[in-house]
Amino acid sequence: MHPIVKLIAQRLALGLLLLFAASILIFVGTSILPGDVAQSILGQSATPEALANLRRELGMNDPAMTRYFAWLGGVLQGDLGTALTNGRDIAESLGGRLKNTLFLAFWAAAISVPLSIFLGLLAVRYKDRWPDKLISAVTLTTISIPEFMIGYVLIYWVAIKWRLFPSVAIINDSMSLGAKLNAIAIPVMVLTLVVLAHMMRMTRAAILNVMQSAYIETAELKGLGMLKIIRKHAFPNAIAPIVNVVMLNLAYLVVGVVVVEVVFAYPGMGQYLVDHVSKRDVPVVQACGLIFAAVYIGLNLVADIVSILANPRLRHPK
């Protein structure tokens, strides 16, 4: 078997194993949550007989192993279960929510990824000069501030003071693309500021590491300009670590938007998860947790595979 195919197969197998382990952790974590699901559904005035009947109906009296494999079997068949609080199918409810979260993450990535790479290249071009120091200072400041604080500051200035965009990001399928983009403008700004610094600094570090190579010195001795050296020699050879950090931050944009969605009342998966955690709706929490884990592991797998494909020693074995 070709080494590159073998490595990719190993990464895929490891990803499936990690997802299986994540499903166990999610199930165990939700099972030991404090409180009584039956009590939460029926209220404090429920009789002991009604509580016992509901627990039996929900399968809460079954052994944990039985409940886990029943849940996992349903997931493998595309059945995420039914919400305890409203009786609605979870997969159907999550469809629109996941689409909204991916919509928000896509536009944040569309701005932050090219901008971070551009700023990283600019910082390398003017290393240790004022553009490099200014970019580093600004991005370090934004990464040091919590998302909710950045969100509230932008709401105050952009939405209330300047009245440029709405403070609440409410979207629906009947809205045009322009109206949706106007609604999510501030959440996109927050997510961009949060992930920009990490990607920019990793881009800068990866390119500077390549710039110390012997072939870069050869290019300089040939009289090539710094911009051409960075663009044609340094950046292509630094693409693997850059892709890794980009994928990690893309995973964050999907998985870590819970705080941003709550701050802006955005109808995404994060808001949906928080609403049902407060109601102790365990099947919803399990479904959301498993989807978030699958997205995170999947994007990390993509980063690993791109790194493998970018390695010339694996592409062209002797």
Side-chain angles (χ1 to χ4, degrees):
M1 182 182 291
H2 195 285
I4 198 168
V5 175
K6 183 178 180 181
L7 274 175
I8 291 175
Q10 288 175 348
R11 292 294 192 277
L12 292 174
L14 180 60
L16 291 175
L17 182 61
L18 285 174
L19 189 57
F20 175 68
S23 71
I24 295 175
L25 290 175
I26 291 167
F27 184 84
V28 172
T30 52
S31 298
I32 62 176
L33 285 173
D36 185 352
V37 177
Q39 192 81 62
S40 301
I41 296 172
L42 298 179
Q44 297 297 326
S45 60
T47 63
E49 292 79 10
L51 291 172
N53 290 334
L54 183 57
R55 291 191 188 102
R56 185 168 55 253
E57 182 182 336
L58 296 176
M60 295 171 61
N61 296 329
D62 296 337
M65 191 70 70
T66 302
R67 287 186 283 117
Y68 169 71
F69 281 109
W71 171 66
L72 184 62
V75 169
L76 293 176
Q77 296 175 21
D79 180 14
L80 296 178
T82 304
L84 300 179
T85 51
N86 54 25
R88 295 186 60 184
D89 183 71
I90 296 174
E92 181 182 339
S93 300
L94 277 177
R97 297 278 186 161
L98 178 59
K99 183 177 71 174
N100 289 342
T101 294
L102 293 176
F103 179 76
L104 178 62
F106 170 80
W107 286 106
I111 295 172
S112 60
V113 171
L115 183 58
S116 64
I117 292 175
F118 170 75
L119 291 176
L121 293 172
L122 190 64
V124 171
R125 172 65 182 83
Y126 296 100
K127 181 177 177 292
D128 295 331
R129 292 159 65 180
W130 72 264
D132 180 25
K133 293 178 180 179
L134 178 62
I135 292 170
S136 296
V138 172
T139 52
L140 279 175
T141 300
T142 58
I143 202 174
S144 303
I145 303 175
E147 298 100 311
F148 69 88
M149 180 63 69
I150 297 175
Y152 288 134
V153 169
L154 289 179
I155 288 173
Y156 178 76
W157 286 104
V158 178
I160 298 175
K161 283 290 187 180
W162 300 335
R163 299 181 181 276
L164 297 177
F165 300 107
S167 59
V168 179
I170 300 297
I171 66 170
N172 54 67
D173 292 336
S174 63
M175 296 171 65
S176 65
L177 178 60
K180 289 181 179 180
L181 293 177
N182 182 72
I184 67 170
I186 301 182
V188 166
M189 291 180 196
V190 174
L191 291 173
T192 298
L193 290 173
V194 168
V195 301
L196 184 66
H198 192 205
M199 288 191 289
M200 187 283 298
R201 293 186 66 80
M202 280 302 297
T203 300
R204 178 183 183 275
I207 296 175
L208 285 176
N209 184 53
V210 172
M211 293 289 287
Q212 299 173 3
S213 303
Y215 60 86
I216 297 296
E217 295 181 7
T218 303
E220 291 175 347
L221 291 173
K222 287 181 178 180
L224 295 179
M226 183 58 68
L227 283 176
K228 192 171 184 179
I229 291 173
I230 293 172
R231 180 173 56 85
K232 295 192 67 175
H233 298 283
F235 182 69
N237 288 285
I239 198 69
I242 293 173
V243 168
N244 271 313
V245 74
V246 166
M247 287 300 171
L248 285 172
N249 282 277
L250 289 181
Y252 170 79
L253 286 176
V254 177
V255 177
V257 296
V258 175
V259 173
V260 174
E261 289 187 359
V262 171
V263 168
F264 293 95
Y266 184 74
M269 277 192 62
Q271 180 70 53
Y272 184 71
L273 173 62
V274 170
D275 289 344
H276 285 80
V277 165
S278 62
K279 301 171 185 175
R280 207 179 183 278
D281 199 328
V282 173
V284 173
V285 177
Q286 290 174 339
C288 290
L290 190 62
I291 291 173
F292 282 144
V295 170
Y296 193 86
I297 292 171
L299 287 174
N300 276 275
L301 274 177
V302 172
D304 280 345
I305 292 171
V306 170
S307 298
I308 291 170
L309 295 175
N311 190 333
R313 293 181 180 177
L314 294 175
R315 292 202 312 270
H316 308 288
K318 294 181 179 180

